[in-house]
Amino acid sequence: MMTTDAHGSAGESGSEWDTAAAHRSEDLTETECWALLAGNGTGRVAYEDNGRVLVFPVNYVVHEQAVYFRTAREGVLGGGLDFRNASFQIDDHDSTRMDGWSVLLSGRAEAVQDPGLLSTLWGRRMDEPWGGGTRDVFIGIEPSVLTGRRVGMR
């Protein structure tokens, strides 16, 4: 049987180019996604601004099925931008084993105003933000969509 690789080159089935069958790709459950989110502390927040998608690394904490990160009040993320369509992503991979996973959470991001929630978040252990300056604004993203995928060799 002849196969065609991504570059259009033909080869015999079972050749070095016929590797797609050896890979797996599976959706993660919501429970698996939350477990991966809770087990990490650094991710990426993304949103659209003036026609560009901007992505920033942030340290975060998970609380009651939402993701929270700290930022500067005057900064790009804390300056009152419209975050109606924000996304948050984490992933991990092992190049040697050719496997990895990714979790993507999308929803509205808003500055936390509730005093009780702020007290809870300030009491949670999380890595300090990497950016300089005072990072005293918590932004929360409650997901409207949560997806995850695991890929790798069979």
Side-chain angles (χ1 to χ4, degrees):
M1 175 170 115
M2 294 295 283
T3 60
T4 304
D5 69 10
H7 305 289
S9 301
E12 292 296 319
S13 180
S15 73
E16 64 182 305
W17 302 110
D18 191 20
T19 61
H23 287 80
R24 68 167 164 54
S25 178
E26 59 192 32
D27 291 335
L28 298 174
T29 66
E30 185 174 332
T31 300
E32 290 172 314
C33 289
W34 283 114
L36 290 167
L37 283 161
N40 286 272
T42 302
R44 290 171 287 284
V45 63
Y47 64 95
E48 185 179 351
D49 182 36
N50 291 321
R52 289 181 60 208
V53 175
L54 301 178
V55 181
F56 294 94
V58 293
N59 292 331
Y60 71 96
V61 64
V62 172
H63 177 69
E64 294 183 355
Q65 296 201 333
V67 168
Y68 298 90
F69 61 91
R70 286 176 27 212
T71 190
R73 188 171 308 281
E74 312 80 34
V76 174
L77 296 173
L81 291 175
D82 184 0
F83 290 124
R84 278 186 296 234
N85 294 313
S87 289
F88 181 83
Q89 192 263 341
I90 63 169
D91 59 44
D92 194 23
H93 72 281
D94 183 332
S95 297
T96 304
R97 293 181 37 198
M98 296 177 63
D99 68 9
W101 55 265
S102 177
V103 172
L104 180 65
L105 175 153
S106 298
R108 182 175 181 79
E110 297 181 291
V112 176
Q113 303 294 328
D114 178 79
L117 179 55
L118 283 170
S119 179
T120 298
L121 293 173
W122 279 109
R124 296 283 307 268
R125 185 184 185 306
M126 70 181 286
D127 291 337
E128 284 295 312
W130 294 350
T134 302
R135 306 282 169 168
D136 60 355
V137 174
F138 272 98
I139 304 288
I141 305 175
E142 293 189 27
S144 55
V145 178
L146 176 63
T147 59
R149 178 164 299 280
R150 185 178 311 279
V151 297
M153 298 296 287
R154 291 189 192 274

